[in-house]
Amino acid sequence: MTTRWMDSPVGGLRLHAHSGLVTRIEFDASPVGRPAADPLLDEVERQLGEYFAGRRREFDLPLAADGTEFQRKVWSYLRTVRYGETVSYGQIAADLGYEPGIARAVGAANGANPLPIVVPCHRVVGSDGALTGYAGGVERKRILLDLERPGLF
């Protein structure tokens, strides 16, 4: 496994890769040690940099997220939510064929997403459009959504 730290508009990010796949992106990271030499992490850092600069709307990276079957379904769905758009937890549940009551489980799966930003869990909002919890903190969520739709929130 290789890791690298990068600075971003939402704070320090720690990027993780293993066997040619991006496995985790963590918030609140601080720089530690020397940057790992890894062409994949170079690409992750490049694509994230383009995203934060407003020049990238989709990511093209090999991903491996370890989770339950339900979590992986939610995370796969998140990748279909387009740049600048938002969706509610209940809408995800409905689109995946579940009853509305499963929205909380969708929220839990969203919060367990190991690849934030790249798998855009920040694009999920409450049924009334309000910003709700985000594993990286609501302020980060606001920054990411403002980046995609300036002045919206």
Side-chain angles (χ1 to χ4, degrees), residues 4 19 44-45 50 54 58 81 150:
R4 180 177 303 165
S19 299
V44 174
E45 193 168 356
E50 290 173 353
E58 295 178 10
V81 181

Side-chain angles (χ1 to χ4, degrees), residues 15-152:
L15 316 173
H16 297 262
H18 182 67
S19 299
L21 300 167
V22 183
T23 57
R24 181 170 284 296
I25 297 172
E26 298 173 308
F27 291 114
D28 293 325
S30 57
V32 176
R34 294 173 27 169
D38 184 312
L40 176 56
L41 292 180
D42 292 344
E43 182 63 13
V44 174
E45 193 168 356
R46 183 183 73 76
Q47 288 190 27
L48 283 168
E50 290 173 353
Y51 169 80
F52 288 122
R55 295 189 315 268
R56 174 171 290 275
R57 293 176 173 234
E58 295 178 10
F59 293 92
D60 180 24
L61 298 165
L63 306 176
D66 189 27
T68 67
E69 181 180 344
F70 179 76
Q71 288 172 328
R72 289 191 311 271
K73 281 182 184 180
V74 171
W75 301 336
S76 179
Y77 180 96
L78 293 174
R79 297 201 64 202
T80 71
V81 181
R82 295 168 46 165
Y83 183 95
E85 294 181 357
T86 57
V87 65
S88 72
Y89 299 98
Q91 185 63 52
I92 293 172
D95 287 352
L96 292 176
Y98 296 104
E99 296 297 320
I102 205 78
R104 286 189 178 199
V106 168
N110 201 51
N113 173 19
L115 296 161
I117 305 169
V118 172
V119 175
C121 52
H122 61 277
R123 295 179 186 154
V124 184
V125 297
S127 60
D128 62 355
L131 297 185
T132 56
Y134 183 59
V138 173
E139 187 53 35
R140 277 192 185 95
K141 185 175 195 167
R142 182 181 317 280
I143 291 168
L144 294 168
L145 290 172
D146 280 347
L147 174 77
E148 295 182 12
R149 290 172 63 181
L152 181 64

